[in-house]
Amino acid sequence: MPTVSKTSSAVLAATAVGIGLARVLQVERYHRRKLALHAAEMHQAWLSDVASEPALRAAWATQGESLSSDDYALLVQCNRQVSLLSAKFRAGLLNRHTLRIQARWLMKREIGRTYWREFGAFREQEAQDRVDRVFNRILADEYVAFSDPDAVAA
């Protein structure tokens, strides 16, 4: 009879450890999402500053770039939209389907296509995980769908 009690206690202990571990992982995931959203918030504020301050635009624009300061400001504003979509996708506020709808809306506009043509490769280089790669692939697909084939090949 004592073996049943020991077995039951062992099962209960293992269950409690499993539940505790699941809770710790859930809290860690929540904390990472919260940090990512906070970082995105700071990034949005910084992009706003760059877009509105000519001196910051000049400092951050790529040397030798053929874009005017105003055109670069528009691309920085587009980066705000792309970064917001990225943060929402990472946080689970957009799934692949809704991200594709948003990416299609963005790429229907010349500014979206210009942004992706100029900076899409950089976003792909800086991708750190599967979430970033899926995000970039969806935006790239929509870019190709709405771009002139000659511009995509260049």
Side-chain angles (χ1 to χ4, degrees):
M1 198 72 161
T3 359
V4 172
S5 178
K6 286 182 185 179
T7 304
S8 296
S9 295
V11 168
L12 284 173
T15 301
V17 168
I19 290 171
L21 181 58
R23 178 73 179 133
V24 166
L25 292 174
Q26 183 181 26
V27 167
E28 182 182 335
R29 191 176 316 120
Y30 171 79
H31 185 67
R32 265 189 272 123
R33 282 183 179 167
K34 191 173 179 178
L35 286 174
L37 289 173
H38 183 63
E41 182 181 2
M42 290 187 306
H43 187 244
Q44 289 289 320
W46 180 76
L47 289 173
S48 179
D49 291 346
V50 171
S52 63
E53 296 291 331
L56 284 174
R57 282 199 304 272
W60 287 100
T62 305
Q63 297 302 319
E65 221 170 51
S66 61
L67 295 170
S68 72
S69 180
D70 289 342
D71 287 343
Y72 185 70
L74 287 173
L75 291 179
V76 170
Q77 290 292 358
C78 189
N79 187 15
R80 290 183 75 191
Q81 179 65 27
V82 172
S83 296
L84 175 62
L85 292 175
S86 177
K88 288 173 70 174
F89 184 63
R90 178 164 293 283
L93 300 174
L94 293 175
N95 60 27
R96 289 177 190 213
H97 174 73
T98 54
L99 173 60
R100 188 166 299 281
I101 291 168
Q102 293 291 313
R104 188 170 297 138
W105 179 89
L106 181 65
M107 294 305 169
K108 283 181 179 179
R109 287 147 179 81
E110 182 64 33
I111 190 68
R113 294 188 305 273
T114 300
Y115 171 83
W116 195 258
R117 185 173 48 253
E118 295 292 323
F119 301 108
F122 176 73
R123 290 191 76 92
E124 289 174 7
Q125 289 173 352
E126 71 174 354
Q128 64 181 5
D129 59 17
R130 182 186 60 79
V131 174
D132 288 341
R133 288 187 293 277
V134 168
F135 176 85
N136 289 339
R137 185 173 50 247
I138 290 172
L139 265 70
D141 289 349
E142 294 305 319
Y143 168 74
V144 169
F146 288 97
S147 292
D148 175 15
D150 294 332
V152 173

